[in-house]
Amino acid sequence: MSSLVCGLDVHKDSTYATVMNYGGEVVEKRKLSNNEIVNFLSQYPIDKVAMESSTSIVPVYRALRGRGYEILVSHPKKTRLIAESRIKTDRVDSWAVTELARLDALPLSYMPPDNIATLREKVRRRAFLVRMRSKLKVKIKAQLVVNGFTPPSEHGLFTSKGLEWLRSLQLDAVDSYLPVIHTLDIQVGKVSRELRGMASGDEDVKLLMTIPGIGYYSALLVKSEIGSIDRFPDGEKLCSYAGLVPSVSISGGHKRHGSITKEGSRWLRWIMVECVHTHLKYDTSITRAYHAIAERKGASVAKVAAARRLLMCCYSVLQNRKPYYDPAGGYQPSS
């Protein structure tokens, strides 16, 4: 039997599989439990296996890759644009992915190697914990307003003295939130120490940290989202991946640029915007461009434009393997 291609529509507990030859003839189609997939595929001379990207595919992807299969992971949104169907079922989705893989027309999605996937999970986990802690702090401040308490001005609200003052208020809601914040402090500190250790021996991180505004955590997040810089032929492609490029509408010979696309990695887009706040403390060409744009179009537009320029700098230092240098600005890297 000649080589075959298989498309999998993977869900949490089950998968619909379609096996097809390169002439377009369906050889087999069947619904399986996820632990049956490997044995099912072993019956056929499968050349490649295709599936849409989702959280559910990760254990299947790892199991099949460990067996030596060539795995094609498609971009869900782009796949739907190509294979749009009025009737959407697991069987139809499985067939569509198989057909596109057979024709080499499957829009592929990046699947990071294990080390990058581990790093990505860790930096995202820290961000999640910090956000949860911030939400609880906002809740506490709201309780102070509702109950008519003014925080002391001589020290921070969440310093040791501030926490002592909060406990003395004997507010039920505040007393419920404080132990959770303490637990989150411990977990954030633990993950941060692990990340600092990872950053200390990473050459990519060291290069990224030469850019003003980018610290160890930001650099690790950038690396985890980019993976290999060789994935991107130029900086514009990287900015597009982060959704920091303007949308374009062309109609009747007229081109109109709109707001940024916000496609791709929202984490990379988020961290670039966050880094802009620190970068603006320095005198660089990016800072000067920010102020010029802010005068004409406002701070929000300028911030996004600066984030895009900052990401272009990240591309440059990683691609050229040289520290950041800004000849147009007053910033010089420390020796």
Side-chain angles (χ1 to χ4, degrees), residues 12 59 79 105 109 145 155 160 186 194-195 216 246 259 308 335:
K12 183 178 178 181
T79 303
S109 179
V145 173
H155 52 71
S160 57
I186 294 173
E194 292 174 1
L195 290 173
Y216 82 93
S259 58
R308 180 178 176 179
S335 56

Side-chain angles (χ1 to χ4, degrees), residues 218-270:
S218 303
L220 284 171
L221 195 153
V222 169
K223 176 171 180 173
S224 72
E225 293 300 313
I226 291 176
S228 171
I229 196 64
D230 294 332
R231 294 171 53 210
F232 304 95
D234 54 51
E236 286 296 327
K237 289 293 190 298
L238 177 57
C239 290
S240 178
Y241 173 71
L244 284 171
V245 296
S247 56
V248 179
S249 175
I250 302 176
S251 179
H254 298 282
K255 180 184 291 188
R256 179 180 177 276
H257 293 280
S259 58
I260 58 173
T261 62
K262 295 187 179 181
E263 298 283 347
S265 172
R266 62 185 177 89
W267 290 94
L268 187 55
R269 183 167 61 253
W270 165 72

Side-chain angles (χ1 to χ4, degrees), residues 6 8-12 14-15 34-35 37-38 41 48-75 106 108-118 120:
C6 178
L8 302 176
D9 187 47
V10 183
H11 296 278
K12 183 178 178 181
S14 65
T15 293
N34 288 351
N35 57 15
I37 295 173
V38 173
L41 294 181
K48 60 181 74 171
V49 179
M51 61 188 84
E52 278 192 7
S53 179
S54 72
T55 304
S56 299
I57 75 165
V58 175
V60 176
Y61 174 86
R62 289 174 176 167
L64 294 180
R65 189 181 62 178
R67 296 296 182 108
Y69 287 100
E70 179 187 355
I71 313 295
L72 304 178
V73 179
S74 73
H75 189 295
L106 199 66
L108 299 181
S109 179
Y110 173 66
M111 287 295 287
D114 290 344
N115 63 318
I116 295 296
T118 300
R120 182 177 290 185

Side-chain angles (χ1 to χ4, degrees), residues 163-177:
L163 292 173
E164 184 179 345
W165 178 79
L166 285 171
R167 294 188 188 99
S168 71
L169 301 179
Q170 297 184 338
L171 296 174
D172 286 346
V174 172
D175 290 341
S176 294
Y177 295 141

